[in-house]
Amino acid sequence: MQQLLADLERTGQLIRVTQEVDPYLEVAEIQRRAYRAKAPAILFTRVKGTTFPMVCNVFGTMERTRWIFRDSLRALEGVFALKVNPFDFFKQPWRYAGVPRAVYSTMPKKVRTGPVMEAETTVSKLPQLYSWPMDGGGYVTLPQVYTESPDKPGFMSSNIGMYRVQLTGPSFETDKEVGLHYQIHRGIGYHHAEALRRGQPLKVNVFVGGPPAMTLAAIMPLPEGIAEILFAGALAGFRIPMIHRPGELPMLAEADFCICGTVHPGEQKPEGPFGDHLGYYSLAHDFPLMRVDAVYHRKDAVWPFTTVGRPPQEDTVFGAFIHELTADLVPTVFNGVREVHAVDQAGVHPLLLAIGSERYVPYAAERQPQELITCGLSLLGTTQTSLSKYVLIAAHEDAPDLHTHDFPRFFRHMLERTDLTRDLHYITRTTIDTLDYTGISLNQGSKLIWAACGPRKRPLCESLPTGFSLPQGFSDARLFMPGVAVVQGPRHTAARDEHDNAMFRLAEHLHGIQGRDGEGQQVPLAGLPLVVVADDAAFTAKDWDNFLWVTFTRSDPATDMYGAGAFTHCKHWGCAGPLIIDARLKSFHAPPLEEDPEITRRVDTLAAPGGPLHGIL
């Protein structure tokens, strides 16, 4: 980290702020503004309540992130390329000159000691970052949580994850306990399960800082069985030095901080609330309690941090960088899938757009989803894509130049080809992202595979159809894009895991006006296959960012999708159309994130003429 900051400062990519700043909300708002402004990294040398400097926005742009890994990126790309096509090495061996070193760098280097053990401190003396007003305490937001398999100890069966760590709060005994929040389908869970089966504590080390490759490794969606520390070495371009201590968990030698602790069987405490990356608070729930054994740090330690919230945020860059590295690997992991896009604007896991192949019956008179459904099930069956809630998948054969990042064209392509009586496939009462509060309970909700292929089935309306109307309680209908209307609905009052009768009224009304208006004129709704109901139609229909965020972070497929002329046949649900998505905030949802006005005014002052951040934010 010290080498990186010196490198950034030397090249004009880092500024120092010597005026005292507050880790309670203030530095978080500065960081969010710095990201939006594509500002340099910012090093705060005087932080209230701690002696440790803090640094933010290190990975604030794709250009800076690529630059950080400039010396090793080409070799790592070569490793991935050979995974896709091993025989290319014999055709173009000069392209892979750095691959042997990258492979050599994967194995960590055992050392006896390192800078991280130069000094000790306590949890309460660490920077206590609060990102949002309702946060339940100070948090580590760029942790590298390291564990090893109790059944097979060692680097090869280790896991590094970016699981949030709550340092302080009413649940935790000061300096002795911290909260360890890990979401469903995370590698640490397998290690924890092994420890519980053995009836023994799980040792955990939380690294902060150190080689930036470790930070990226902590969020890399690697297949089960591949240790993140191996990827970190390849990305860093050198073997990661790890302090090996008999009977203890290895420590990252070059880390700025290391919190060593243990998770004992049966010990949990409430963790949260915390403003999270879907744009809402994740509320307080029981999560594993980590007893703190020691807190080590370098003498020159710097505390790196970020904040999360409604996308885009700095973690957007992480996702884009990982996608750039791994895009060519998608077909090797998911047979038949050509492209995937976990949509950042929708909070990543709620919406996955994909393009697959439809080759099962190439001789059929009309192509219909078959292989696409297999592709969708594959995406929901492995790696981090299994947490996706809505999977919309189109056939490559219908439009070879279609891409998932072109939202207007992708959605138009899907809506023109979808058969609403056939192409919606639900999986109910299954696991969903821990942070998603749209489901029927924590970690439980539904998923939808929406597959569409074949010839165009309908032209999409370019304006609201003449005679289009709404029942009482619904208003402000707007055409967001061809074929998609956004309407304002009444406040949601239904309980969790229940349909809303108001939505049935809307579906019945829309089904009823499919025919002729009062003057005997046709009112065709075939060109309007999708209607989204929101609390604020104007906000939702303003742009794609708002539409994707509201529609897919505020709805559960099984509970919140309705349809005009809906039917269930042999447990398959469909509708004549339009399809309706209830994207209102529900009565049981966690609240959206909002900044503190007083903090906003304070940061405005820092960014005003004469302030230390003038011209930066």
Side-chain angles (χ1 to χ4, degrees), residues 147-154 182 188-204 247 249 261-267 288-289 291:
T147 56
E148 291 184 354
S149 164
D151 290 346
K152 296 182 292 182
Y182 65 83
I188 189 176
Y190 307 137
H191 292 171
H192 196 185
E194 290 176 8
L196 290 173
R197 176 171 48 79
R198 288 166 162 262
Q200 68 185 43
L202 177 69
K203 293 182 179 295
V204 180
L249 203 58
T262 49
V263 177
H264 290 259
E267 292 192 347
L289 172 71
R291 296 187 191 176

Side-chain angles (χ1 to χ4, degrees), residues 65-143:
T65 302
R66 293 191 195 104
W67 184 86
I68 289 170
F69 300 108
R70 63 196 180 278
D71 294 331
S72 56
L73 204 51
R74 184 172 177 84
L76 186 62
E77 289 169 346
V79 173
F80 288 162
L82 289 176
K83 165 69 174 172
V84 175
N85 182 13
F87 295 104
D88 194 52
F89 175 81
F90 300 102
K91 297 177 182 178
Q92 307 179 80
W94 59 88
R95 289 185 56 193
Y96 304 100
V99 169
R101 179 172 178 80
V103 174
Y104 171 77
S105 298
T106 58
M107 184 54 64
K109 180 171 63 175
K110 292 182 179 181
V111 296
R112 293 184 177 181
T113 189
V116 72
M117 298 193 72
E118 290 173 342
E120 289 193 53
T121 187
T122 60
V123 169
S124 59
K125 292 180 180 178
L126 298 173
Q128 304 295 317
L129 176 71
Y130 285 69
S131 299
W132 299 96
M134 287 175 55
D135 281 1
Y139 276 87
V140 189
T141 56
L142 285 177

Side-chain angles (χ1 to χ4, degrees), residues 234-433:
L235 182 59
F238 57 83
R239 297 175 64 190
I240 301 294
M242 298 290 287
I243 300 171
H244 185 70
R245 302 174 298 164
E248 298 294 335
L249 203 58
M251 293 173 57
L252 177 61
E254 296 288 348
D256 287 68
F257 299 86
C258 179
I259 305 172
C260 302
T262 49
V263 177
H264 290 259
E267 292 192 347
Q268 300 176 352
K269 282 192 175 182
E271 183 271 354
F274 180 74
D276 228 313
H277 71 265
L278 267 68
Y280 310 90
Y281 287 96
S282 53
L283 303 179
H285 299 282
D286 283 351
F287 280 95
L289 172 71
M290 176 175 154
R291 296 187 191 176
V292 177
D293 299 322
V295 182
Y296 297 99
H297 69 91
R298 304 170 63 115
K299 289 182 179 178
D300 55 355
V302 177
W303 185 271
F305 75 95
T306 190
T307 59
V308 292
R310 180 190 163 184
Q313 302 286 347
E314 188 176 7
D315 53 359
T316 299
V317 176
F318 291 146
F321 183 72
I322 289 171
H323 177 80
E324 192 174 87
L325 279 177
T326 61
D328 291 341
L329 293 176
V330 167
T332 71
V333 177
F334 307 106
N335 188 40
V337 179
R338 305 177 70 99
E339 182 180 330
V340 295
H341 179 193
V343 179
D344 183 68
Q345 291 88 334
V348 182
H349 291 317
L351 177 62
L352 183 75
L353 306 183
I355 294 173
S357 299
E358 188 49 74
R359 304 163 296 185
Y360 279 1
V361 191
Y363 52 81
E366 178 181 331
R367 185 182 297 111
Q368 67 180 36
Q370 294 178 89
E371 185 177 3
L372 289 184
I373 299 171
T374 302
C375 291
L377 291 169
S378 177
L379 288 165
L380 290 178
T382 187
T383 75
Q384 292 301 308
T385 61
S386 66
L387 293 177
S388 303
K389 183 169 59 174
Y390 288 88
V391 178
L392 276 61
I393 184 166
H396 168 75
E397 291 79 4
D398 291 329
D401 60 343
L402 182 67
H403 293 288
T404 56
H405 284 75
D406 184 348
F407 298 133
R409 189 177 173 209
F410 186 89
F411 274 81
R412 181 164 196 147
H413 178 95
M414 292 289 296
L415 293 170
E416 287 176 338
R417 288 164 176 78
T418 296
D419 181 341
L420 293 172
T421 68
R422 180 193 67 196
D423 294 341
L424 306 173
H425 307 275
Y426 294 85
I427 303 171
T428 62
R429 299 188 179 273
T430 186
T431 51
I432 63 171
D433 184 11

Side-chain angles (χ1 to χ4, degrees), residues 75 97 336 435 451 594:
L435 305 178
E594 295 179 350

